[in-house]
C-alpha cells in the first residue's frame, strides 16, 4: 500500500515530534501528523494536526498515560512550520481524549505545582471569607463511576486555624445524571458547618456550569468523564489561540 503522507508532511511532522519531545522530561511514544503539503504551507494552511502520545512526563511529577488530539483546519505561519514550530495565525478548535491513571493523579497532587495552585482556596460563607490550605490529598478510582478522595486541610475561619481530615465519594457528571456528592465524612477535627458545605457546593456548581475554563491561550471544556478502575478518561473540547511551550502550562 503506497504511503499516503507527502514528503513535506513527513519532514514537518518529524521535526514537530522532535521539538515536543525535547520539552518533555520523559516520553514513551509520540506521534504528530501535520496534515498539509508544500502548496498549503506556502499559503499558511493545514488541514489539521493530530497528536498522539503515551507516557508523557513534564517537570518529573506531571504524567499523562495517553493523549490523542485532533484539530480542525488551521492557519499557520508558513516560515515557522517549515522548522516544525506550529504558530497559529487564527484560533483553532480541537478535540482531545486524555487518560490519566490513579498513580499519576496522586503524584501530580503531591507536586509543588499542584500545591501552589491549590494553596489558600477561599469561599465566601455568609459574607465571611473562609480559606483552605491543603496538607495532603489522595484520590482512589475504584470504578463503578466513583471517585474517592481522602485528604487533610487546614481550615482558616473566624481568625482561627484548625486541621480537618475527610473522606469523600463523588460521581462526575454524565449524559444521564448531574455530578453527585455521594458521601462526605470528617475523620479528624470538629467537622464543618452546614453553611460552609452549602457554600462549597455552590462554588462547585458554578465551576461545573462555566461554558469553558481558560489556561494561557487555551479555552477548554470537559465534555465527558469516564471512571474506570485505576484511571480516568476525559473528553475535552478546546479552542487554542496559540500553542505555548509545554513548560508554560506548569508555571505556578
Amino acid at each position: 500500500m503506497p504511503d499516503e503522507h507527502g514528503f513535506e508532511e513527513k519532514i514537518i511532522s518529524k521535526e514537530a515530534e522532535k521539538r515536543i519531545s525535547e520539552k518533555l522530561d520523559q516520553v514513551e511514544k509520540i506521534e504528530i501528523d501535520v496534515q498539509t503539503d508544500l502548496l498549503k504551507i506556502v499559503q499558511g494552511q493545514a488541514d489539521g494536526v493530530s497528536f498522539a502520545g503515551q507516557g508523557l512526563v513534564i517537570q518529573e511529577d506531571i504524567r499523562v498515560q495517553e493523549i490523542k488530539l485532533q484539530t480542525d483546519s488551521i492557519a499557520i505561519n508558513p516560515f515557522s512550520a517549515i522548522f516544525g514550530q506550529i504558530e497559529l495565525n487564527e484560533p483553532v478548535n480541537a478535540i482531545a481524549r486524555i487518560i490519566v491513571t490513579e498513580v499519576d493523579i496522586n503524584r501530580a497532587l503531591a507536586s509543588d505545582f499542584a500545591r501552589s495552585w491549590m494553596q489558600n482556596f477561599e469561599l465566601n460563607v455568609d459574607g465571611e471569607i473562609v480559606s483552605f490550605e491543603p496538607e495532603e490529598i489522595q484520590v482512589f478510582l475504584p470504578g463503578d463511576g466513583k471517585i474517592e478522595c481522602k485528604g487533610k486541610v487546614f481550615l482558616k475561619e473566624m481568625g482561627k486555624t484548625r486541621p480537618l481530615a475527610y473522606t469523600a465519594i463523588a460521581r462526575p457528571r454524565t449524559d444521564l445524571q448531574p455530578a453527585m456528592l455521594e458521601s462526605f465524612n470528617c475523620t479528624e477535627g470538629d467537622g464543618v458547618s452546614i453553611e460552609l458545605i452549602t457554600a462549597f457546593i455552590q462554588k462547585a456548581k458554578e465551576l461545573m456550569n462555566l461554558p469553558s475554563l481558560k489556561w494561557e491561550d487555551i479555552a477548554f471544556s470537559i465534555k465527558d468523564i469516564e471512571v474506570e478502575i485505576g484511571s480516568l478518561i476525559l473528553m475535552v473540547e478546546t479552542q487554542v489561540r496559540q500553542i505555548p511551550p509545554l513548560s508554560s502550562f506548569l508555571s505556578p
Side-chain angles (χ1 to χ4, degrees):
M1 181 176 178
D3 194 339
E4 298 179 355
H5 299 291
F7 177 75
E8 306 91 354
E9 183 178 331
K10 286 183 179 179
I11 294 297
I12 293 173
S13 298
K14 288 299 181 183
E15 184 62 27
E17 289 175 9
K18 178 182 176 182
R19 284 178 172 269
I20 295 291
S21 297
E22 288 174 349
K23 295 180 181 296
L24 295 165
D25 290 343
Q26 183 180 334
V27 58
E28 295 175 10
K29 184 179 180 180
I30 186 171
E31 292 181 358
I32 297 176
D33 181 15
V34 183
Q35 296 135 23
T36 188
D37 56 38
L38 183 57
L39 178 59
K40 290 176 181 177
I41 293 172
V42 173
Q43 295 174 337
Q45 299 175 353
D47 294 329
V49 176
S50 64
F51 177 95
Q54 294 180 356
L56 279 61
V57 179
I58 308 173
Q59 290 193 352
E60 298 184 358
D61 294 315
I62 311 300
R63 183 181 185 276
V64 174
Q65 174 64 27
E66 182 178 319
I67 180 171
K68 293 182 179 179
L69 180 146
Q70 175 67 52
T71 75
D72 293 339
S73 59
I74 60 177
I76 57 177
N77 183 322
F79 299 103
S80 62
I82 294 174
F83 299 100
Q85 182 67 39
I86 309 302
E87 294 182 1
L88 304 180
N89 290 334
E90 297 178 2
V92 62
N93 297 319
I95 297 177
R97 181 178 186 269
I98 304 170
I99 300 177
V100 289
T101 68
E102 179 182 296
V103 172
D104 294 337
I105 292 171
N106 287 314
R107 183 166 69 172
L109 288 172
S111 69
D112 291 338
F113 166 72
R115 288 181 178 276
S116 64
W117 184 72
M118 294 186 296
Q119 190 173 15
N120 291 326
F121 177 73
E122 294 184 343
L123 288 176
N124 188 321
V125 182
D126 292 339
E128 179 186 350
I129 299 300
V130 178
S131 65
F132 301 82
E133 183 178 335
E135 176 68 15
E136 59 185 63
I137 182 171
Q138 191 168 13
V139 169
F140 303 90
L141 303 173
D144 193 29
K146 296 181 180 182
I147 300 175
E148 297 183 14
C149 181
K150 294 182 180 180
K152 182 177 181 179
V153 300
F154 287 103
L155 183 64
K156 300 179 181 179
E157 58 180 342
M158 301 179 66
K160 297 181 180 179
T161 300
R162 61 185 177 91
L164 176 71
Y166 65 90
T167 61
I169 299 177
R171 292 180 181 269
R173 182 183 59 192
T174 68
D175 293 335
L176 300 177
Q177 68 176 29
M180 304 286 288
L181 180 62
E182 193 168 286
S183 67
F184 182 89
N185 297 302
C186 295
T187 57
E188 178 185 338
D190 298 327
V192 293
S193 66
I194 293 177
E195 291 79 9
L196 179 57
I197 293 177
T198 301
F200 181 83
I201 292 175
Q202 181 61 35
K203 185 67 174 180
K205 183 178 179 180
E206 291 174 4
L207 292 173
M208 287 186 291
N209 287 334
L210 287 174
S212 64
L213 301 173
K214 291 185 178 180
W215 185 276
E216 296 287 338
D217 289 317
I218 298 176
F220 64 93
S221 58
I222 299 175
K223 293 301 181 182
D224 187 51
I225 301 177
E226 183 179 345
V227 185
E228 295 187 345
I229 298 176
S231 65
L232 283 180
I233 302 175
L234 310 174
M235 293 299 297
V236 181
E237 289 185 358
T238 69
Q239 184 183 68
V240 183
R241 293 187 177 276
Q242 196 51 260
I243 301 176
L246 287 176
S247 58
S248 70
F249 285 106
L250 300 176
S251 299

